[in-house]
Amino acid sequence: EVHLLESGGGLVQPGGSLRLSCAASGFTFSNYAMTWVRQAPGKGLEWVSLIRNDGGDTFYADSVKGRFTNSRDNSKNTLFLQLNSLRVDDTAVYYCARGGWASSIDSWGQGTLVIVSS
Amino acid sequence: EIVLTQSPGTLSLSPGERVTLSCRASIRLSGDHLAWYRQQPGQAPRLVISDASNRANGIPDRFSGSGSGTDFSLTISRLEPEDFAVYYCQQYGSAPYTFGQGTKLEIK
């Protein structure tokens, strides 16, 4: 069974940084592209970033480009999202998800909440 | 960036009814790379349909997807209580892989 477990969320001041992690299990992690999606409170889903299976290519939403970095460690079956220069409107639940490169997202974690507030 | 517009925003329906949700893309999608997801309150989204018309594993046959190019739809033939949720379409043909704004199905 596919299992994705996000961690690293919390309260941070505007301009601060956080590093989110996503531990994957139940599948061959290195075979899959991975995606981050976020959802602000009471709002819809927003695609954030995708990293291909070997980490060679990454893609970002314009809203986070230059501030967020998507990376992975295939030896540890772990996905990361480094969030820098955080803004109040980055407040959201951040989901780690499997797939997304020329394919739908077929599995989702339960999300980790990031709150950006002074 | 491809913009996906879902309609309507909210629908009030009764269990057992049939419903069709719409998703329109701002430009033609390559390969019909469009998915539908269902999100129940307090839960993560779940894949319902991939590649415009393929039901995901475990999704009952009352769900069907159709469309190509710029116009896509999701039909639920007989609404069950668990189907009252928010539905999102997403394109994965061209980065950034955008979502629609969602359609909420609520119980009348």
Side-chain angles (χ1 to χ4, degrees), chain A residues 35 37 39 43-47 50 59-62 95 100-106 108-110, chain B residues 1 33 35 37 39 42-47 49-51 88 90 92 95-101:
Chain A
T35 297
V37 175
Q39 187 169 35
K43 303 297 183 182
L45 301 174
E46 180 185 11
W47 182 88
L50 176 141
F59 302 87
Y60 298 93
D62 288 345
Y95 293 102
W101 172 254
S103 74
S104 56
I105 294 170
D106 64 4
W108 299 69
Q110 283 305 303
Chain B
E1 171 176 317
H33 288 333
Y37 304 90
Q39 187 177 33
Q43 296 188 21
R46 179 182 179 182
L47 178 66
I49 297 286
S50 64
D51 293 337
Y88 297 94
Q90 185 219 4
Y92 44 93
Y97 301 116
T98 45
F99 287 90
Q101 81 278 20

Side-chain angles (χ1 to χ4, degrees), chain B:
Chain B
E1 171 176 317
I2 296 176
V3 176
L4 299 180
T5 302
Q6 292 187 241
S7 60
T10 303
L11 276 171
S12 296
L13 298 161
S14 300
E17 288 194 88
R18 178 187 179 93
V19 64
T20 296
L21 311 182
S22 173
C23 177
R24 176 165 290 177
S26 58
I27 64 173
R28 183 181 185 89
L29 300 187
S30 62
D32 292 336
H33 288 333
L34 185 111
W36 291 91
Y37 304 90
R38 177 175 71 181
Q39 187 177 33
Q40 294 169 317
Q43 296 188 21
R46 179 182 179 182
L47 178 66
V48 177
I49 297 286
S50 64
D51 293 337
S53 61
N54 296 330
R55 270 191 309 277
N57 290 339
I59 298 299
D61 62 6
R62 65 179 183 272
F63 288 88
S64 62
S66 64
S68 65
T70 60
D71 291 303
F72 300 87
S73 61
L74 173 68
T75 297
I76 309 172
S77 60
R78 296 174 312 279
L79 285 166
E80 297 286 342
E82 62 268 26
D83 299 335
F84 291 91
V86 182
Y87 290 81
Y88 297 94
C89 58
Q90 185 219 4
Q91 65 82 19
Y92 44 93
S94 176
Y97 301 116
T98 45
F99 287 90
Q101 81 278 20
T103 290
K104 181 178 181 180
L105 298 186
E106 60 180 27
I107 299 178
K108 185 187 290 183

Side-chain angles (χ1 to χ4, degrees), chain A residues 88-109:
Chain A
V88 171
D89 63 359
D90 293 318
T91 294
V93 173
Y94 285 74
Y95 293 102
C96 159
R98 188 178 82 165
W101 172 254
S103 74
S104 56
I105 294 170
D106 64 4
S107 298
W108 299 69

